Amino acid sequence: MYIFFNSRDELLRIETSKIVYFEADGNYTDIVMVNKLRAAVCMNLSEMEKVLASQLGTDSHIFMRIGKRFIINTQYIYQINTLKQHLILSDYDHFAFQISISKDALKKMKDLMLITKP
């Protein structure tokens, strides 16, 4: 499944399984992918949530908003460490990203993950 981002000057077509996370950067959102490429789109994180929901429909559940700065692909969650306030996202082979997130946001995420585990 692909998601499209269209601007005046360019079109991005990204396979959703290749997106690791989205990071807020003011009025922009950085998209971080499994090959470590980053792309910036001109929309804030709230707008990005709406785009994900409209383009992906029920498949948008693989993405989760965490705090004010991140939307993550839940398929890549490797470790949630509330004490050190970080989250590690990895595919177990090629990449591992460590991102800093508040304790409260990590606790909520951890609880939600335990409730909805398969």
Side-chain angles (χ1 to χ4, degrees):
M1 177 172 295
Y2 290 90
I3 188 163
F4 294 87
F5 300 100
N6 187 25
S7 73
R8 184 181 62 121
D9 300 323
E10 67 181 359
L11 172 71
L12 284 174
R13 176 182 161 256
I14 304 173
E15 189 175 341
T16 55
S17 65
K18 304 294 186 200
I19 299 169
V20 182
Y21 66 93
F22 299 90
E23 183 175 4
D25 185 13
N27 289 329
Y28 291 85
T29 297
D30 290 327
I31 305 167
V32 180
M33 292 166 271
V34 296
N35 60 3
K36 300 183 183 173
L37 281 178
R38 294 176 82 96
V41 293
C42 186
M43 66 178 69
N44 64 35
L45 216 54
S46 295
E47 292 169 333
M48 180 60 71
E49 283 182 296
K50 292 174 187 171
V51 167
L52 292 172
S54 69
Q55 287 196 35
L56 302 179
T58 58
D59 290 331
S60 66
H61 73 279
I62 66 166
F63 293 102
M64 177 189 290
R65 173 90 182 244
I66 301 178
K68 295 178 181 179
R69 288 187 50 212
F70 297 99
I71 297 173
I72 63 156
N73 185 332
T74 58
Q75 297 172 344
Y76 294 118
I77 295 172
Y78 170 70
Q79 181 185 47
I80 300 169
N81 189 321
T82 53
L83 187 62
K84 293 182 180 177
Q85 296 183 353
H86 68 245
L87 171 69
I88 297 177
L89 302 169
S90 178
D91 71 346
Y92 303 94
D93 287 321
H94 302 99
F95 70 86
F97 293 99
Q98 179 176 307
I99 54 179
S100 296
I101 300 176
S102 73
K103 276 186 184 180
D104 289 339
L106 285 174
K107 284 179 185 177
K108 288 176 188 173
M109 180 184 154
K110 186 178 168 186
D111 292 342
L112 186 62
M113 294 293 294
L114 291 172
I115 291 170
T116 61
K117 68 181 179 179

